[in-house]
Amino acid sequence: MSPTPSGPPSTASPHEERLLIDGKLRSAAGSGTFEVLNPADGTVLGKVADAGREDMLDAIGAARRAFEETDWAVDRQFRKRALTQLLDALVEEKDELREELIAEAGAPRMLTHGAQLEEPLQKFRWHIEHIDRFAWVRRLDDAVNRFTDEPSERWVVKEPIGVVAAITPWNFPFGLLLVKLAGALATGNTVVAKPAPETPWNATRIGRLIAERTDIPAGVVNVVPTSSLDTAELLLTDPRVDMVSFTGSTATGQRILELAAPTFKRTMLELGGKSASIILDDADLRQAIPQALGALAHSGQGCALPTRLLVHRKVYDHVVAGLSQAFQQVPWGDPQDQGTLAGPVISARQRDRVADYIRIGREEGARLAVGGGVPDRAGFWVEPTLFVDVDNDSTTQRDTHGPPGRVDAVCRDGRRRDTAELRTRRAEHRAAEGHRGGELHGDVLPLPRRHDRRRRPRRRSGPPGRGRDRERSRLRRAVRRGPGLAGTAGDHPRRVRGRDGTRLPAGCRRSPSRRHRRRPPRTGQPAQQPRPA
């Protein structure tokens, strides 16, 4: 293809197609480009410069020079003024950003008034305001050297890390990139941003605004979209990069750790997960069921969306019936419509991946309550889908970043618990203590943080309270109380014997449990001989 023009963008294309490297908007060194698709109809929206190896190395070098040679890392008031300029420019072009996110990411319009656009701008403002509030230098209490007895002053000084590689996904591209930029830039670092190839335009727009509307020095921010995996991995292997901030899949996160380890880069990884909502038997279902529809926001393409639901058996049927009705009525379709909750998935590859997981769920025995189809229409679509009666260890419990929601039944009380239920009880406890990745409805019974699987409950014979365990415990208490109190071993028709078969004398304080060994006889006393069986 022909090279992207190096001058101002044409009015025919409102999208920025150029790279930002060392303060300049330019085409890729090899004049490469790749297409940006509209997931709602599959059409080509336009193109963007495809950075190659030379471009990425130039961006890393520019970021290193800007960190070491400019005042960006040390002048906090300068940083605050420049970042405020960027925020003002973003707010001024907010409407264009909104339309761009709907077009390239398939983000429903209603979500751009929240997590896709408005909330990230608020968080960016928060970082700017905290430049003046943050404790950059803090003095601790004086200490005395224990070897020389001389007093010493102690200070804590916060300094920037250096060059940060910001790698963002396609599901919430603007919000995640802006948050990464806010934290890194406000603390004095320089950045090389690598957006996802499916959604590059919101990043290149930020690059244009930095170059044209702010006083941010050249090289402090570099934006290099690329379709080449080898080019992107230069950010992980180049020793001039000090830290990698990544949001995406767990498999990619493992790869980042492998490549970043030889140069001891710091890493901040926000990886995919299967967040669960837990509905207990005392929950308000009128509140819990509507909240569970969050699994379909942005077609389930979010690691923090509650796409897995664990429901108490007592209310399981009611929740399944309510969710089935709600899933059938959820508004999905054109992301331009203000009432749409679930739009398209991002690409044909993602559509096929989600459809494959739906097929696997059926084969593994999960019951398909709602949806499951792939509409025969332009674009990349999957119907809102609800699986019920899902096994806790099934393949569908993995994070698919797609429309399927999953419901499984659990019980928080009862004498017999399977492994899946124990994990569920532990999840309830973790959620109650504020652990991330889940929502909780209803109160929670106390549960240890760790279940010791080696201690299995003893089998009982007969109804609760009538089994051998209850009787044996009563015998032990009677033996410990000794003679003269109600109940001794000699008064009971059953004889209590030790591990070697010896009958225990009345008043013996040693428990007959198998976990205890017989104590050796005292000095001067003959050992008691075991009686023949």
Side-chain angles (χ1 to χ4, degrees):
M1 293 186 177
S2 59
T4 306
S6 57
S10 170
T11 55
S13 175
H15 313 294
E16 179 54 59
E17 302 174 355
R18 296 168 293 178
L19 312 174
L20 173 64
I21 298 177
D22 202 9
K24 300 178 181 179
L25 298 171
R26 74 184 207 190
S27 303
S31 301
T33 61
F34 61 87
E35 295 177 340
V36 180
L37 303 181
N38 185 341
D41 57 17
T43 60
V44 177
L45 292 170
K47 60 185 179 179
V48 70
D50 190 1
R53 179 181 178 86
E54 180 181 347
D55 301 304
M56 187 64 73
L57 293 177
D58 288 346
I60 295 173
R64 173 52 59 184
R65 289 192 301 273
F67 180 75
E68 296 177 349
E69 300 175 5
T70 70
D71 293 335
W72 183 257
V74 295
D75 191 340
R76 293 195 291 271
Q77 292 307 311
F78 172 53
R79 294 203 301 267
K80 181 179 179 180
R81 184 177 72 253
L83 292 179
T84 302
Q85 293 172 346
L86 176 58
L87 177 61
D88 293 341
L90 288 170
V91 171
E92 186 176 332
E93 296 195 6
K94 185 169 61 175
D95 292 338
E96 291 84 352
L97 267 168
R98 191 187 314 278
E99 300 303 323
E100 203 164 60
L101 283 168
I102 296 172
E104 68 172 341
R109 182 174 294 275
M110 71 162 59
L111 294 184
T112 63
H113 295 280
Q116 287 282 12
L117 180 59
E118 300 285 356
E119 290 179 7
L121 291 173
Q122 296 174 5
K123 294 176 181 177
F124 195 84
R125 186 182 302 277
W126 183 92
H127 282 83
I128 295 174
E129 293 173 351
H130 275 70
I131 292 178
D132 291 333
R133 303 175 187 175
F134 188 73
W136 300 97
V137 179
R138 180 165 53 97
R139 182 173 181 176
L140 304 179
D141 295 336
D142 292 346
V144 177
N145 190 310
R146 62 176 180 173
F147 298 107
T148 63
D149 292 332
E150 295 180 357
S152 60
E153 294 183 356
R154 299 187 302 167
W155 296 82
V156 176
V157 179
K158 300 290 186 178
E159 296 181 343
I161 295 173
V163 178
V164 177
I167 305 175
T168 54
W170 42 258
N171 54 347
F172 289 83
F174 174 77
L176 290 170
L177 176 59
L178 200 63
V179 169
K180 292 180 187 296
L181 288 176
L185 297 178
T187 52
N189 301 282
T190 59
V191 178
V192 179
K194 205 289 292 182
E198 293 86 354
T199 54
W201 277 341
N202 61 92
T204 54
R205 178 181 291 271
I206 293 176
R208 176 178 59 79
L209 293 178
I210 289 174
E212 297 177 351
R213 306 279 298 277
T214 74
D215 296 328
I216 296 177
V220 169
V221 179
N222 304 270
V223 181
V224 280
T226 179
S227 62
S228 170
L229 183 60
D230 293 337
T231 300
E233 288 184 347
L234 291 173
L235 290 170
L236 313 177
T237 57
D238 197 304
R240 294 173 294 178
V241 176
D242 301 293
M243 179 178 177
V244 178
S245 175
F246 168 76
T247 302
S249 69
T250 302
T252 305
Q254 292 173 340
R255 178 64 175 170
I256 288 174
L257 288 177
E258 292 175 0
L259 296 180
T263 52
F264 291 94
K265 299 186 192 308
R266 299 187 186 186
T267 56
M268 197 289 293
L269 306 179
E270 182 190 2
L271 308 181
K274 201 65 192 170
S275 300
S277 279
I278 304 172
I279 300 181
L280 304 182
D281 54 334
D282 58 351
D284 183 359
L285 300 186
R286 292 173 299 180
Q287 178 183 0
I289 291 177
Q291 288 185 3
L293 289 179
L296 293 178
H298 197 23
S299 294
Q301 299 175 117
C303 59
L305 298 178
T307 50
R308 184 184 179 203
L309 196 63
L310 303 178
V311 184
H312 195 282
R313 289 193 179 101
K314 290 184 180 179
V315 295
Y316 182 79
D317 293 337
H318 297 284
V319 172
V320 168
L323 276 178
S324 298
Q325 182 178 5
F327 268 58
Q328 292 173 353
Q329 298 176 356
V330 70
W332 68 284
D334 185 4
Q336 293 285 353
D337 190 340
Q338 183 64 43
T340 296
L341 176 66
V345 295
I346 190 64
S347 62
R349 176 184 177 185
Q350 183 67 8
R351 176 197 60 197
D352 297 341
R353 180 171 177 262
V354 173
D356 193 44
Y357 270 98
I358 294 175
R359 176 187 58 80
I360 294 174
R362 288 174 170 175
E363 294 175 353
E364 291 183 343
R367 180 163 62 90
L368 187 62
V370 178
V374 177
D376 185 14
R377 56 185 290 188
F380 316 123
W381 300 88
V382 179
E383 294 178 349
T385 301
L386 178 65
F387 276 112
V388 298
D389 303 337
V390 181
D391 184 82
N392 200 49
D393 296 321
S394 68
T395 306
T396 58
Q397 299 291 42
R398 301 174 185 173
D399 185 23
T400 59
H401 265 50
R406 300 149 187 82
V407 183
D408 192 13
V410 299
C411 183
R412 71 173 180 181
D413 53 8
R415 293 171 300 278
R416 301 183 65 184
R417 304 183 180 95
D418 55 17
T419 304
E421 186 176 342
L422 288 170
R423 286 200 297 265
T424 303
R425 292 286 310 278
R426 196 178 309 119
E428 295 174 4
H429 184 72
R430 287 170 60 84
E433 289 192 347
H435 288 260
R436 63 184 179 182
E439 294 181 1
L440 189 68
H441 303 279
D443 61 356
V444 182
L445 296 178
L447 182 74
R449 291 185 64 84
R450 196 178 192 89
H451 173 68
D452 189 354
R453 301 186 182 215
R454 295 172 297 180
R455 296 182 181 178
R456 298 185 179 181
R458 297 180 180 178
R459 296 181 180 178
R460 300 178 182 268
S461 59
R466 296 285 185 179
R468 291 176 296 176
D469 289 337
R470 180 65 62 87
E471 182 180 4
R472 191 172 298 167
S473 298
R474 186 157 56 89
L475 284 173
R476 292 171 183 166
R477 290 194 298 270
V479 168
R480 292 190 183 99
R481 283 196 294 264
L485 299 177
T488 63
D491 297 331
H492 200 275
R494 293 185 56 138
R495 295 187 175 185
V496 181
R497 299 181 181 274
R499 187 173 183 181
D500 56 1
T502 305
R503 180 178 175 180
L504 298 175
C508 178
R509 304 184 67 84
R510 183 180 61 79
S511 171
S513 171
R514 290 185 177 182
R515 294 194 300 269
H516 299 280
R517 303 240 181 221
R518 287 185 62 86
R519 297 178 179 175
R522 295 181 179 178
T523 306
Q525 295 182 358
Q528 188 176 3
Q529 299 296 326
R531 297 178 60 181

